Structure formats: structure tokens, C-alpha cells
Amino acid sequence: MSGQTARTMERRCADVRARLRADVDLWAASNDQFGSPPHLVPLSFYWDGTAIVLATDPTTVTGRNLETTGRVRFALGTTRDVVLVDGIAESSPVHDIDPGVASAFAEKAGFDPRTDPDRYRYFRVVPERIQAWRNESEGQHPTVLRDGTWLG
């Protein structure tokens, strides 16, 4: 893939936003407070324009990690069109989420955590950093969002 021209920052940011709106699933990596190896799982998500919203059982490894440390890294796309998102998860009970966000999540994800509120919690992750690249020319400067601010 060498020799390809890098996208402009504005194009890369637009492409990332489009992926966040269109993709249904992502890979979520989380750690516990004891430094265990990262736990990696696929999860469905909804992008509300500001944050990534997901739902999972708080008793799973991922749920416990998100509840305890809040730190999470998401990966979307393929190795030749990757988006990495770093952020901190905020947990909320199913009944506390905005009804519009809950409905949008259910429609996109194909399941509705509100039907089993004792089993699920929502986690909202506002990105602190997003990196994206498609080829070698973009890999040198992959950051498109830093400290919560889009760079293009």
C-alpha cells in the first residue's frame, strides 16, 4: 500500500465520523486494575455524535473492567482502514439512559437492553483520542482527535 497519497485531515475526520455512524460492531479492549492482559471482545455500539454508547452485562470481564477502571480502547474497520478510539467509560443503569439514545442503540444493534434491565448497563464513552489510517502515508500521523477535539 506504499505510494498511496494520504487523505487530508478533513477527509480522514469525515471518514471516521461516517464509520462511527455506519458500523454496528467494534472491538473493545479493557483492563482490570491489577494489570492483567487486555480483555478483547466484540460489542455492538451506537454513535450519538459525541460518544460511543454500548451495553453489556456488568458481571462479565468487560463490564467489570469498565465499571472499575473505565479505560477502554475500541478498534473499528480493517487493518487497511482502521480507527482506534481511546476513552473513559461512564456507566449508567438501563433506566437512566436517554430514551432516544436507547431506541437508536436498539435499532442499530439489533437488541434492546431495556427488555432485560437487570442484566445490562449502558456505557457511554466520550473519545479522548482517535487515530485513523488507511496506508503507510497516513501511519506517521494517525491522530484525528486529541483531548476530545477533532483536528479537521
Side-chain angles (χ1 to χ4, degrees):
M1 302 265 341
S2 65
Q4 288 188 346
T5 305
R7 295 170 289 175
T8 65
M9 182 60 69
E10 291 76 17
R11 178 78 260 154
R12 287 169 66 201
C13 289
D15 289 348
V16 168
R17 288 184 188 106
R19 180 172 288 287
L20 288 168
R21 284 189 305 272
D23 285 12
V24 175
D25 300 313
L26 51 68
W27 287 95
S30 62
N31 288 83
D32 63 23
Q33 71 270 29
F34 305 111
S36 296
H39 186 71
L40 183 67
V41 295
L43 293 171
S44 298
F45 76 99
Y46 168 70
W47 172 250
D48 71 5
T50 303
I52 291 171
V53 178
L54 53 97
T56 194
D57 183 332
T59 65
T60 64
V61 172
T62 298
R64 289 191 313 267
N65 289 349
L66 295 180
E67 289 276 1
T68 304
T69 70
R71 303 285 317 158
V72 64
R73 172 172 270 189
F74 300 130
L76 295 89
T78 66
T79 56
R80 297 202 181 212
D81 188 10
V82 68
V83 174
L84 299 177
V85 180
D86 295 311
I88 297 178
E90 294 180 3
S91 172
S92 68
V94 167
H95 61 272
D96 285 352
I97 192 129
D98 175 273
V101 170
S103 293
F105 175 90
E107 182 176 326
K108 186 176 182 195
F111 81 99
D112 191 342
R114 295 173 295 182
T115 63
D116 196 354
D118 294 330
R119 179 175 175 202
Y120 292 102
R121 288 185 70 83
Y122 285 102
F123 294 88
R124 186 173 187 272
V125 180
V126 176
E128 294 179 332
R129 180 176 71 162
I130 298 178
Q131 297 177 302
W133 63 90
R134 285 190 178 158
N135 58 57
E136 184 178 315
S137 64
E138 294 179 355
Q140 298 300 314
H141 304 284
T143 302
V144 297
L145 180 138
R146 182 181 299 117
D147 298 324
T149 302
W150 290 96
L151 303 180

